[in-house]
Amino acid sequence: MDRLRVIGPVAELEIFTPGTPEEALAAIRAAPEGEVAVLAGGTDLLADLEEERSRARRIVSLRRLPWRTLDWTGPSLSIGSTLPLRALELDPGVRSRLPGLYEAVHAVGSVPLRHRATLGGNLARSAPASDLIPVLLALDAEVELFAAAGVRRLSVDRFVRASRVTAIAPGELIRSIRIPEARPSAFRWQRVRLANDISQLAVAVALSPSDRRWRVAVGGIPPRAIRLAEAATALGTGAPAEAAVRRAGEIAARAVPLVADRRASEEYRRRLIGTLLARAVASALLPREGVG
Amino acid sequence: MTERRLVLTVNGLAASLADVPAGERLLDTLRWRLGLKGTKEGCRTGGCGACTVLVDGESSLSCLTLTHEVDGCAVTTIEAIASDPVGRSVRDAFEREGALQCGYCTPGFVVALTGLLKERGRSAPLEELLDGLQGNLCRCTGYVAIARAVRAAREATA
Ligand code: FES
Ligand code: FES
């Protein structure tokens, strides 16, 4: 007779709640690599623990670190890595000056989930289905990494490597995410269910007021969300003509590696790209108070 | 550190808990340690909203919250929601509108809506409230009556 597998009890876990970034790094360093999990909002980590996808024996919680911040400095925004997404969503400046970011944050999970989930956690996790990474790409966001030796900055494009793989080094923590300027922007997605679902495909666009050029990024694709420079160029500078939007959509549909899975067929995803791109561009061009 | 004592305020009362395993979820602490069975477990993975409680006044999914993470916080569950005037209006609205069938999802809806009304204040548009409840599922297809209750609760607290 087959034996039942005996699962190690969750009680074997230990949790640390350091009060400073230095203590957090020390608590991480003290555990063997692969056996320590950093806890921000926990909305993914707890599901991993529940389904035994995590081998973590030690949890290091970041909740006492002073990183729940939101700072506007002129046109640029710095978002503390452990700020709950809900605080970002409810900030009037985010809604009016970075509408694409607002829309993407609003698309994550549900209100109670967003009270805990964080931008830092989403980036550290770097899931291909992340609704936040495409818009961070379109906004040219930078990740600020904290280490004992100092701080380094990396574009989100270079930080996100592949599905669940990032450029974070051992001994580093994400301290904040910086967005250089307010931009007309939009995020459009397609799903089966409105909330608590994973996007079949998502498109983020942003128009930089400083160089008048567009940024286009597509998410919901393996292994990671990508920027589409050619499609962005096809949109030209400023408000594009209808034909340019269509051409950008065609270029994007060709450039993106798509797969079929249980959420959608490859063909359906390919068609979605142009549609979502057109909707996003139209939305980004809607007049809004305080943008630019 | 795992062995340390946690002190939570649950429904206005101090709860001092020793030896809470690091991986224990608030949902299980509430239901099995504190006997507060009003908070329901639906999916346990953040997908249904049945386990919603208030943590320091903000709606949170207790299935995705470690009990250690709410050390020092005030937790409000469905059992005490009516001791808050907004919570009472919400509960009464659900009752008056008959916004439930089996009732399994109801604690989650009532707590989540109470949290939203408190967070967004009187001026929150109805659409925003309904949108804010997208994460709460009802398998008995009671959404029409639930939407009526949301409208009634909004008017009662305005
Ligand atoms: S049980 Fe927590 S969201 Fe379903
Ligand atoms: S009333 Fe039965 S699940 Fe909602």
Side-chain angles (χ1 to χ4, degrees), chain A residues 110-112 193 196, chain B residues 38-40 47-54 59-61 77-78 81 86-87 89-95 99-117 129-151 153:
Chain A
S110 60
V111 169
R193 275 181 55 205
N196 270 336
Chain B
T39 303
K40 301 300 184 217
C48 75
C51 67
T52 307
V53 299
L54 301 183
S59 60
S60 289
L61 300 173
T77 68
I78 186 68
I81 206 79
V86 175
S89 303
V90 172
R91 188 200 60 182
D92 292 350
F94 269 71
E95 195 180 314
L100 56 134
Q101 290 184 39
C102 79
Y104 200 82
C105 66
T106 314
F109 270 103
V110 169
V111 172
L113 179 57
T114 302
L116 268 178
L117 285 167
L129 298 176
L130 293 172
D131 177 73
L133 295 173
Q134 292 275 5
N136 290 78
L137 296 189
C138 173
R139 326 192 314 165
C140 300
T141 68
Y143 292 115
V144 172
I146 290 170
R148 269 204 319 266
V150 174
R151 180 192 303 264

Side-chain angles (χ1 to χ4, degrees), chain A residues 25 34 58 90 98 121 141 145 160 178 181 184 188 200 204-205 213 230 237 243 245 251 270-271:
Chain A
L25 289 176
R58 167 179 294 202
L90 294 180
L98 293 166
L145 296 165
V160 176
R178 185 177 164 275
E181 59 178 2
R188 288 292 179 273
Q200 295 159 317
V205 301
R213 291 181 194 285
E230 237 192 298
T237 53
V245 177
I251 293 170
R270 205 166 292 287
R271 283 167 184 243

Side-chain angles (χ1 to χ4, degrees), chain A residues 25 27 94 109 112 117 131-132 177 248 257:
Chain A
L25 289 176
V94 170
D131 282 321
L132 300 173
I177 293 89

Side-chain angles (χ1 to χ4, degrees), chain A residues 52-70:
Chain A
E52 290 156 39
R53 281 188 302 248
S54 169
R55 292 187 297 118
R57 285 284 156 260
R58 167 179 294 202
I59 294 172
V60 178
S61 163
L62 304 184
R63 80 176 166 106
R64 291 222 175 95
L65 301 193
W67 291 350
R68 295 190 181 205
T69 52
L70 185 76

Side-chain angles (χ1 to χ4, degrees), chain A residues 29-78:
Chain A
R29 227 180 5 248
E33 227 195 304
E35 292 191 11
V36 52
V38 176
L39 172 62
T43 52
D44 275 323
L45 179 61
L46 266 64
D48 275 3
L49 292 171
E50 182 76 14
E51 286 156 30
E52 290 156 39
R53 281 188 302 248
S54 169
R55 292 187 297 118
R57 285 284 156 260
R58 167 179 294 202
I59 294 172
V60 178
S61 163
L62 304 184
R63 80 176 166 106
R64 291 222 175 95
L65 301 193
W67 291 350
R68 295 190 181 205
T69 52
L70 185 76
D71 295 306
W72 285 97
T73 312
S76 81
L77 174 65
S78 175

Side-chain angles (χ1 to χ4, degrees), chain A residues 87-174:
Chain A
L88 200 51
E89 174 185 2
L90 294 180
D91 182 70
V94 170
R95 193 162 186 170
S96 63
R97 303 172 76 189
L98 293 166
L101 179 63
Y102 165 80
E103 289 165 356
V105 167
H106 185 78
V108 175
S110 60
V111 169
L113 186 125
R114 295 197 292 277
H115 275 137
R116 300 207 80 81
T118 67
L119 194 52
N122 194 278
L123 271 170
R125 178 81 174 180
S126 181
S130 165
D131 282 321
L132 300 173
I133 292 172
V135 81
L136 293 177
L137 291 173
L139 293 171
D140 292 310
E142 271 183 351
V143 181
E144 189 187 65
L145 296 165
F146 175 91
V151 163
R152 69 174 174 130
R153 290 188 182 78
L154 213 56
S155 69
V156 168
D157 200 22
R158 292 186 51 209
F159 177 81
V160 176
R161 289 262 170 89
S163 172
R164 310 208 186 288
V165 181
T166 71
I168 200 162
E172 284 183 327
L173 288 168
I174 303 174

